[in-house]
Amino acid sequence: MIATAASFGIDEALKALWIQEINEGTSTGSESFGSGELIASYSPVDGQLIGKVKTTTKEDYEKVVTTASAAFTQWRQVPAPGRGEIVRQFGEKLRSLKEPLGKLVSYEMGKSYQEGLGEVQEMIDICDFAVGLSRQLHGLTMHSERPAHRMYEQYHPLGIVGIISAFNFPVAVWSWNTALAWVCGDVCIWKPSEKTPLCSIACQNIIAQVLKENDLPEGISCLINGNYVVGEFMTHDSRVPLISATGSIRMGKIVAQAVAARLGKSLLELGGNNAIIITPDADLKMTTIGAVFGAVGTAGQRCTSTRRLIIHEEVYEQVKDALVAAYKQLRIGNPLDEQFHVGPLIDKEAVRLYSNALEKVKEQGGTLLVEGGVLEGENYASGCYVKPAVAEAKNAFEIVQEETFAPILYLIKYSGDVENAIAMQNNVVQGLSSAIMTNNLREAEKFLSAAGSDCGIANVNIGTSGAEIGGAFGGEKETGGGRESGSDAWKIYMRRQTNTINYSTQLPLAQGIQFEL
């Protein structure tokens, strides 16, 4: 018996999120979000049409920017703790709607239901963080060299923040940006992935209700849907001072050039090629769990997914055998059914790229330890289900140097000291996440030192995937250098201003310069 979407309560979830008229090929209650062509959202879980969304035309976009600009003039004058109160209410709405929104994330994107719930929890967590932050948007005071002068710096809202998000985290990454931007006094325009448009409709419906209940302008949160052309409306628009873009390195370079050409600001979260170093002093049971989850979680479609295991030759065979045995236990199927570990890839194009990567592994001299392959049959009718694969390879292989958004794990052997493994780990263009498995304090500290991992995230005895909102999230090199979420990531959403106040009856000049009239 095939489990249908209805049996998992998808229709009920959509209704709870105010998304109506499902599977009728008409609309999703989204007329207010655009007047352009319809784009269809098909679930990779079962290949079924979930709904259709109208895209944003250039004329629609101009209306959105006008609405957002008008809202900004009002929103920036609300005291920051008052803005935090709105974000708190948004977080409470998310708590009440966690299950239906998590279910929609799972069904539209293909990640497990537990991961869908986890993604909504990230939204709730960042709201909590932002509420506290709303009372801590601090500057510094400095002593002036001039008598009877006071110097300080403060932060002001930027204006409109443009957010371009990817399909793999269809709601969380938006919330990382928008919750912080809102408490900073900015308004937001969101261009989600065209592969997961219904998740964006749901989120917009939730925040729109909060804004309406508080008699605040709808332009504080705006949504535009469509392909890359719609994103280009924002990246080339000087009225949008900051573009936060999550996606591929190729996309990020295009966005960066467009925004830099108009001297705007960009926050880029791009590709990862993340490795776990496994030393002779590693706890191998812990290592196996961390490596397998990192490689197959979200079907390998996280920017922090584990792509490479760099394993010392002393424990290489043990790790290899443990992984092959663990992969035999993986269950692949409907992600809404909690008995399965691995769900589908996002679409058939992702399947094609996965299959091409496996062919390249063999062409470039690698060996497949766990073969992989595309799954067929009535339980995999969407054509998006693949088997997680494991390959022995060399770090220098061209395919290993690339990020394939699929569950392919490369085993790479190293010898000698941990410095050799660190050099191999760093020898890729991406610099997002990294990890080392070791009980050796010296190895751990070398990995975390200035001469160690060159990634934005470096973990010891945990895997590469998963991040708490309290820490700034982002990477170096061609990962883009941006930071989102916790720590002081809020500063990117504001402009810094230095102020000097003269409360004397004289006008002394800096550096002791004399000027008399």
Side-chain angles (χ1 to χ4, degrees), residues 271-282:
N273 195 346
N274 316 296
I276 299 176
I277 294 171
I278 303 169
T279 80
D281 288 308

Side-chain angles (χ1 to χ4, degrees), residues 52-128:
K52 295 184 179 181
V53 175
K54 289 182 179 179
T55 55
T56 302
T57 65
K58 182 63 174 175
E59 292 74 20
D60 295 330
Y61 174 76
E62 288 301 322
K63 293 177 183 177
V64 167
V65 173
T66 299
T67 302
S69 297
F72 175 61
T73 62
Q74 179 178 341
W75 183 239
R76 67 184 175 185
Q77 297 184 65
V78 176
R83 300 192 295 254
E85 167 59 17
I86 301 305
V87 173
R88 186 195 68 79
Q89 293 180 33
F90 179 54
E92 288 303 302
K93 293 283 190 188
L94 291 172
R95 282 180 169 87
S96 67
L97 294 167
K98 181 176 177 179
E99 289 190 9
L101 185 54
K103 196 162 287 185
L104 174 59
V105 168
S106 177
Y107 188 58
E108 187 173 35
M109 185 268 150
K111 64 176 58 177
S112 74
Y113 179 44
Q114 286 302 312
E115 289 182 280
L117 293 174
E119 185 167 346
V120 181
Q121 186 61 49
E122 283 192 44
M123 301 177 76
I124 295 167
D125 292 344
I126 196 64
C127 286
D128 288 349

Side-chain angles (χ1 to χ4, degrees), residues 30-39 53-67 189-191 222-234 237 239:
S30 59
E31 289 87 350
S32 61
F33 304 119
S35 61
E37 298 178 353
L38 288 169
I39 55 173
V53 175
K54 289 182 179 179
T55 55
T56 302
T57 65
K58 182 63 174 175
E59 292 74 20
D60 295 330
Y61 174 76
E62 288 301 322
K63 293 177 183 177
V64 167
V65 173
T66 299
T67 302
I189 301 176
W190 179 21
K191 207 297 281 186
C222 298
L223 177 65
I224 55 176
N225 261 304
N227 62 15
Y228 72 94
V229 174
V230 175
E232 287 179 345
F233 295 160
M234 289 197 301
D237 191 345
R239 296 169 294 180

Side-chain angles (χ1 to χ4, degrees), residues 207-227:
I207 185 59
Q209 188 179 57
V210 174
L211 295 175
K212 184 177 181 180
E213 290 170 355
N214 288 272
D215 196 26
L216 287 167
E218 62 180 355
I220 292 170
S221 180
C222 298
L223 177 65
I224 55 176
N225 261 304
N227 62 15

